[in-house]
Amino acid sequence: MMQLPFQIDLSGQVAVVTGGSGIIGGMFCRALSKCGAKIAVLGRKAENGRPVVEDIQAEGGEAVTIAANVLDRESLEAAKQKILEKWGKINILVNCAGGAVKSAEIPQDQLADYEEGTLNFFTTDMENVRRELDLNLSGTMLPTQIFGECMINQENANIINISSMGAYGPLTRIPGYSGAKAAVSNFTEWAANYFARSGIRVNAIAPGFFQTTQNHNLHFNPDGTPTPRSQKIIDSTPMRKYGEPEDLIGALLFLVSPKGSSFVTGVVLPVDGGFHCYLGV
Ligand SMILES: NC(=O)c1ccc[n+]([C@@H]2O[C@H](COP(=O)([O-])OP(=O)(O)OC[C@H]3O[C@@H](n4cnc5c(N)ncnc54)[C@H](O)[C@@H]3O)[C@@H](O)[C@H]2O)c1
């Protein structure tokens, strides 16, 4: 059972979490529910959100799973209609859908390490990079367009985006993802100003390195042993370890807290054991 680092009161509020069936999104859904919010778990397929909904209901919370593709306006509009019919309002939007596209990954850190027969920067299919940019940037902007409109001047209206360490500087091998998340951080700041006098705060969380399924192949060999890349990550993290996904909950609760952060907007909060501020020397 999940333990919250601290409690905030979101009773009666409605939270929408895109990518709510994912590792981090699912955890955020459970945490927000424990604070009293009603949760719309959005994912590409409704059935993927069922385990999250069942966990929430088993603990006495209210949740619904709805199919919605963050790149498809119609499906997001339909999801909004369902949520408004059921609960009448939306207070919180967490834009958690996103991630790196495996086929856009470049297999070597530097061209000098290129091995004949593998892919490299010159052979990267730009279509895959475009998909990565689209998923992370448009997949944050479009739900903000659709759900943000009915959040204007709502009680405790908050939008939380998910950035990455790649936003502070490019991570090797994943230039498309790094650029996309830099754009997510930039959009967070843009939107914070845009909505500031319309009662919506907009902030982001930038997770450091966590052991989740999405990044598993980059960080661990098929036999479960760490790759050289994961050793570099640990060496570049002042706290010398990967984070536990649960370490992100405190940042989320702080940012959506009506009392704790009411004058905070446009912030990208790193939760990374110090990775973003350490250059290695
Ligand atoms: N795991 C990490 O270490 C880490 C680090 C930094 C940032 N992040 C970011 O955190 C977020 C969540 O990542 P995660 O690790 O929980 O990964 P995850 O793969 O478990 O979750 C991502 C979710 O997004 C959903 N999704 C993908 N495309 C979608 C679309 N078009 N429409 C709707 N939903 C879609 C997936 O189905 C999945 O449920 C992502 O934005 C990711 O980039 C993760």
Side-chain angles (χ1 to χ4, degrees):
M1 198 197 297
M2 170 190 286
Q3 296 290 328
L4 295 184
F6 52 88
Q7 191 71 41
I8 61 167
D9 184 10
L10 301 176
S11 355
Q13 297 184 22
V14 176
V16 178
V17 181
T18 72
S21 54
I23 306 253
I24 295 174
M27 188 184 68
F28 283 177
C29 289
R30 293 175 179 96
L32 293 170
S33 169
K34 273 183 164 285
C35 297
K38 300 166 186 161
I39 314 293
V41 182
L42 267 53
R44 276 171 299 185
K45 291 184 186 157
E47 64 257 35
N48 294 346
R50 217 149 276 145
V52 178
V53 168
E54 283 167 7
D55 279 2
I56 289 173
Q57 288 171 342
E59 297 217 357
E62 259 189 87
V64 64
T65 174
I66 303 173
N69 180 338
V70 290
L71 299 175
D72 179 56
R73 175 176 292 277
E74 249 176 58
S75 73
L76 290 167
E77 290 282 8
K80 178 168 83 173
Q81 272 325 108
K82 278 189 193 155
I83 296 162
L84 293 180
E85 276 163 27
K86 192 168 173 60
W87 291 318
K89 61 174 180 174
I90 295 169
N91 306 87
I92 295 169
L93 167 66
V94 186
N95 284 311
C96 210
V101 170
K102 178 85 186 114
S103 47
E105 199 183 293
I106 294 167
Q108 60 287 135
D109 287 3
Q110 295 187 314
L111 185 59
D113 301 326
Y114 167 68
E115 285 171 25
E116 201 64 37
T118 58
L119 293 173
N120 61 41
F121 172 71
F122 301 108
T123 55
T124 298
D125 183 346
M126 283 309 293
E127 195 43 49
N128 296 329
V129 177
R130 235 172 258 127
R131 277 174 47 217
E132 201 165 43
L133 287 166
D134 223 24
L135 171 60
N136 291 285
L137 180 59
S138 311
T140 296
M141 288 179 78
L142 187 58
T144 300
Q145 255 189 350
I146 311 280
F147 298 111
E149 200 171 6
C150 60
M151 292 169 65
I152 294 167
N153 293 326
Q154 258 314 328
E155 178 201 358
N156 196 36
N158 271 293
I159 297 175
I160 305 295
N161 299 327
I162 310 297
S163 186
S164 148
M165 286 303 108
Y168 294 85
L171 297 173
T172 56
R173 302 187 181 209
I174 45 176
Y177 179 72
S178 297
K181 289 300 195 181
V184 168
S185 289
N186 191 280
F187 172 66
T188 301
E189 295 176 349
W190 181 88
N193 166 65
Y194 192 73
F195 291 126
R197 289 188 294 128
S198 306
I200 307 177
R201 294 191 294 120
V202 187
N203 291 292
I205 296 170
F209 294 88
F210 294 82
Q211 292 185 28
T212 57
T213 44
Q214 195 172 89
N215 60 19
H216 202 267
N217 294 340
L218 263 179
H219 301 302
F220 297 93
N221 298 313
D223 65 0
T225 54
T227 60
R229 187 176 177 86
S230 57
Q231 193 53 52
K232 277 192 198 168
I233 287 168
I234 290 168
D235 292 344
S236 306
T237 302
M239 291 188 184
R240 295 288 184 273
K241 59 177 185 179
Y242 275 75
E244 297 296 332
E246 288 72 19
D247 294 334
L248 295 164
I249 295 174
L252 173 74
L253 298 188
F254 165 67
L255 291 174
V256 301
S257 162
K259 291 198 177 141
S261 62
S262 59
F263 198 47
V264 176
T265 196
V267 160
V268 180
L269 181 55
V271 181
D272 65 339
F275 182 95
H276 77 284
C277 62
Y278 178 59
L279 294 181
V281 282

